[in-house]
């Protein structure tokens, strides 16, 4: 079946995204890699749902996609506010 090469490709790209998240040169590269890993996880769940004939997995995939999106936004907002606080403290105020 054609789904096995798709699953293999998804797992390979998930491993590469995980490596980038651990080794990334900057914080934003790491956040982008975690976001990509989450997107690949959603695709993995969708392909698995189709292979097994379990449409309820698609609900899990959608929920995970929403959590991934909101989580990445929250992490970026946290680091942005932390950087603003650091700049403010460096000015001696």
């Amino acid at each position: 079946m054609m789904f096995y090469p798709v699953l293999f490709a998804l797992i390979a790209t998930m491993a590469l995204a995980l490596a980038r998240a651990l080794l990334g040169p900057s914080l934003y590269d790491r956040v982008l890699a975690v976001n990509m890993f989450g997107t690949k996880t959603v695709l993995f769940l969708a392909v698995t749902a189709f292979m097994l004939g379990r449409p309820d997995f698609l609900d899990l995939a959608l929920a995970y996609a929403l959590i991934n999106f909101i989580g990445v936004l929250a992490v970026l907002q946290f680091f942005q506010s932390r950087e603003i606080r650091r700049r403010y403290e460096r000015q001696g105020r």
Side-chain angles (χ1 to χ4, degrees):
M1 290 179 64
M2 283 298 297
F3 296 114
Y4 294 113
V6 171
L7 286 177
F8 178 74
L10 281 173
I11 291 171
T13 57
M14 287 171 77
L16 291 172
L18 191 59
R20 174 54 63 192
L22 295 173
L23 304 172
S26 72
L27 173 71
Y28 296 108
D29 288 329
R30 290 183 172 129
V31 171
L32 181 64
V34 169
N35 187 22
M36 186 172 65
F37 185 83
T39 302
K40 299 294 181 184
T41 303
V42 170
L43 287 171
F44 184 80
L45 284 171
V47 171
T48 304
F50 188 76
M51 282 180 59
L52 298 177
R54 301 277 312 263
D56 50 334
F57 280 11
L58 294 177
D59 294 337
L60 291 172
L62 286 173
Y64 190 80
L66 289 172
I67 291 169
N68 182 40
F69 176 70
I70 292 170
V72 166
L73 288 180
V75 167
L76 287 174
Q77 181 66 34
F78 171 76
F79 284 116
Q80 183 182 21
S81 65
R82 187 177 76 166
E83 183 65 28
I84 290 171
R85 273 186 270 125
R86 283 184 181 171
R87 286 183 189 166
Y88 187 74
E89 289 171 357
R90 283 185 200 143
Q91 293 176 354
R93 297 181 183 177

